[in-house]
Structure formats: structure tokens, C-alpha cells
């Protein structure tokens, strides 16, 4: 996955002028890459466009002008993309009941190791969680994951933690988008 470069990031005033069009395009890209898995898990597979949008939003919100601050955002968000042959994604653990949220995030601490991407050849890849987003007691409700893909074709997602157990196929449009993100012809989908 090609990283977002500093030259692609607009100053916050120029971005404000173009924000509506950039946002509409980024939301369309996110819609193709958003997958609901059961009642509580939503995965958003990231690509250059979604990451560039996130960086632009941070630059705008913080009105960043220091190059070191902008570079920090580039480094942080580019890391979410994953490396060659990987798909990076943001996992949202959605628990609407604020009182129940900390209880469930403690109970579901074992989620790493139980979330997998499935492939058309029948194989599976376990998500790699970012250890800095967890402590010894609970998960964060937002996680950054990477799935090793290699030359396989993504087909679906499965979670086998008993309390969250679910599976879902990827839509043909999502499969095509992920293959494009991996730099492969969408005809494989």
C-alpha cells in the first residue's frame, strides 16, 4: 500500500475550500470498505484516500502549521495502512450502553486471536492487533488491525470469540476495492 506523502496534504485553509468534495469522495471509499460483523463489530478497511482524509481532518481541526506536527500525523496514520501484502483496518467495537461498555470491553479482552479474514481458497488470516491499544484489563473500543493477505483473495470475516461469534461474506464491491488497494486486478474478485 502506497503511503500518503507530505506533498498530498493541503494547508488547512485550502482544505476548508475543498473539504466538501474531498469528504464526499472519502465517504464513498469508506462505504465500500466498511463491513459489519455481528452486532458489535464494524471494520473499516483503510486505503490511501481514507487515510489522507483522516490526516486532512486532523490538520484542519488542530489548525496545524508546524511541519513536525503534520509529519507526526502522516507517520501515525500511514502506519494503519499496513505493509506490502497486508490490509490495514480500523475496528470499532460498538457498545451503545455507556454503563455496559467498560464491562464488555474487559470481558472481550480475549478478542485478539479470534478475529480472522477468510479467503477464497479456504484459508484464514488472524488479525494482528496493536498491543499499545490494550492494557492488561480491557480493550480500547477503537483498534487498528492488520491482516496478512499475500496473494490470496479476501472473501469474508469471522470472529469466534463465543460471546461475539459471527461471520459475514465480503460483498463483491468490497472484494474488488480491497484487491485494488492491494494493487491487484479486481477481476480476481
Amino acid at each position: 500500500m502506497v503511503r500518503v506523502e507530505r506533498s498530498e496534504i493541503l494547508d488547512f485553509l485550502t482544505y476548508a475550500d475543498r473539504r466538501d468534495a474531498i469528504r464526499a469522495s472519502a465517504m464513498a471509499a469508506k462505504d465500500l470498505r466498511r463491513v459489519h460483523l455481528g452486532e458489535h463489530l464494524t471494520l473499516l478497511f483503510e486505503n490511501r484516500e481514507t487515510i489522507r482524509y483522516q490526516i486532512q481532518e486532523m490538520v484542519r481541526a488542530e489548525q496545524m502549521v508546524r511541519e513536525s506536527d503534520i509529519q507526526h500525523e502522516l507517520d501515525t496514520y500511514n502506519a494503519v495502512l499496513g505493509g506490502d501484502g497486508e490490509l490495514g483496518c480500523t475496528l470499532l467495537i460498538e457498545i451503545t450502553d455507556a454503563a455496559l461498555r467498560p464491562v464488555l470491553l474487559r470481558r472481550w479482552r480475549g478478542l485478539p486471536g479470534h478475529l480472522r479474514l477468510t479467503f477464497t481458497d479456504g484459508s484464514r488470516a488472524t488479525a494482528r492487533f496493536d498491543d499499545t491499544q490494550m492494557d492488561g484489563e480491557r480493550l480500547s473500543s477503537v483498534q487498528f488491525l492488520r491482516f496478512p493477505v499475500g496473494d490470496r483473495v479476501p472473501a469474508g470475516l469471522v470472529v469466534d470469540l463465543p460471546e461475539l461469534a459471527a461471520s459475514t461474506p465480503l460483498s463483491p464491491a468490497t472484494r474488488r476495492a480491497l484487491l485494488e488497494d492491494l494493487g491487484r486486478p479486481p477481476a480476481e474478485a
Side-chain angles (χ1 to χ4, degrees):
M1 187 95 45
V2 179
R3 304 288 187 231
V4 178
E5 298 290 330
R6 172 62 183 99
S7 60
E8 298 174 80
I9 303 302
L10 304 170
D11 67 83
F12 66 87
L13 293 173
T14 303
Y15 175 65
D17 292 340
R18 300 180 188 170
R19 185 173 183 234
D20 289 344
I22 293 169
R23 184 178 192 287
S25 181
M27 291 303 113
K30 286 184 179 204
D31 287 346
L32 280 175
R33 292 163 178 81
R34 184 176 294 111
V35 181
H36 299 284
L37 180 60
E39 181 182 352
H40 297 286
L41 306 179
T42 298
L43 292 92
L44 173 62
F45 288 92
E46 304 285 2
N47 74 352
R48 288 184 79 249
E49 183 170 10
T50 64
I51 291 298
R52 184 172 52 240
Y53 171 72
Q54 290 302 123
I55 295 166
Q56 283 291 176
E57 284 294 303
M58 290 301 297
V59 169
R60 181 188 73 84
E62 301 291 327
Q63 296 188 355
M64 291 179 192
V65 293
R66 286 195 177 105
E67 285 301 317
S68 61
D69 294 338
I70 296 168
Q71 188 61 53
H72 174 75
E73 297 302 321
L74 282 160
D75 294 343
T76 299
Y77 283 100
N78 272 328
V80 175
L81 288 173
D84 288 340
E86 289 184 320
L87 289 172
C89 79
T90 302
L91 167 65
L92 305 171
I93 303 173
E94 300 172 315
I95 305 165
T96 55
D97 184 330
L100 190 56
R101 188 174 303 124
V103 173
L104 292 177
L105 289 173
R106 275 193 292 280
R107 193 180 313 165
W108 298 340
R109 173 68 173 83
L111 182 60
H114 292 276
L115 179 60
R116 295 176 181 82
L117 185 62
T118 64
F119 300 96
T120 56
D121 67 3
S123 64
R124 296 177 173 199
T126 302
R128 295 184 196 143
F129 281 67
D130 181 349
D131 291 335
T132 63
Q133 295 177 280
M134 296 175 274
D135 61 29
E137 295 182 22
R138 67 184 189 125
L139 293 170
S140 168
S141 60
V142 177
Q143 296 286 322
F144 300 115
L145 313 176
R146 292 182 186 173
F147 290 99
V149 176
D151 61 356
R152 298 175 290 182
V153 177
L157 287 159
V158 63
V159 59
D160 61 8
L161 189 68
E163 205 170 328
L164 292 170
S167 64
T168 190
L170 300 178
S171 72
T174 297
R175 288 170 59 182
R176 281 190 300 275
L178 297 182
L179 288 172
E180 287 174 13
D181 293 344
L182 289 163
R184 300 199 350 233
E188 293 180 41

